[in-house]
Amino acid sequence: GLIAPYVKTFFMFRFGLSESAFGILILYPALIIGAISLPLGRLSDAWGKTNSIHVGLGICAAALWVILFLTQEWAVVLIGSLLGVGFILSFPAY
């Protein structure tokens, strides 16, 4: 959650998005994350805390690197979804 304001600012600047356009793009990752949060929570319990933290933070790190190379607006949906999945896997395990 601490990186979210920077990701938002980066995407709004890079793609010239308004607040409302960014909010509409983030709606899709929110729906995806909401739909898979329960299965990911159960998967995290099955993997154990250490593995869940490693995988979750790895997904978040990979998503942040991918931001640098994608230049399309749909990247907001992809990166937002990946960051959400990594967050769901790692932070509850702490």
Side-chain angles (χ1 to χ4, degrees):
L2 297 175
I3 193 91
Y6 301 111
V7 171
K8 176 185 172 191
T9 304
F10 177 78
F11 273 118
M12 288 178 64
F13 178 75
R14 183 167 190 172
F15 300 120
L17 299 173
S18 66
E19 290 279 339
S20 60
F22 183 80
I24 290 170
L25 283 175
I26 291 298
L27 176 65
Y28 301 110
L31 293 173
I32 292 168
I33 293 164
I36 63 173
S37 63
L38 184 62
L40 282 176
R42 292 180 190 258
L43 181 65
S44 179
D45 288 339
W47 278 349
K49 290 182 178 186
T50 304
N51 289 335
S52 296
I53 292 169
H54 288 162
V55 171
L57 291 179
I59 290 171
C60 287
L64 292 174
W65 275 104
V66 170
I67 287 174
L68 299 174
F69 303 108
L70 296 180
T71 58
Q72 296 82 15
E73 285 186 15
W74 60 265
V76 175
V77 175
L78 175 71
I79 300 304
S81 298
L82 288 174
L83 287 172
V85 166
F87 180 81
I88 288 171
L89 280 174
S90 62
F91 288 105
Y94 277 118

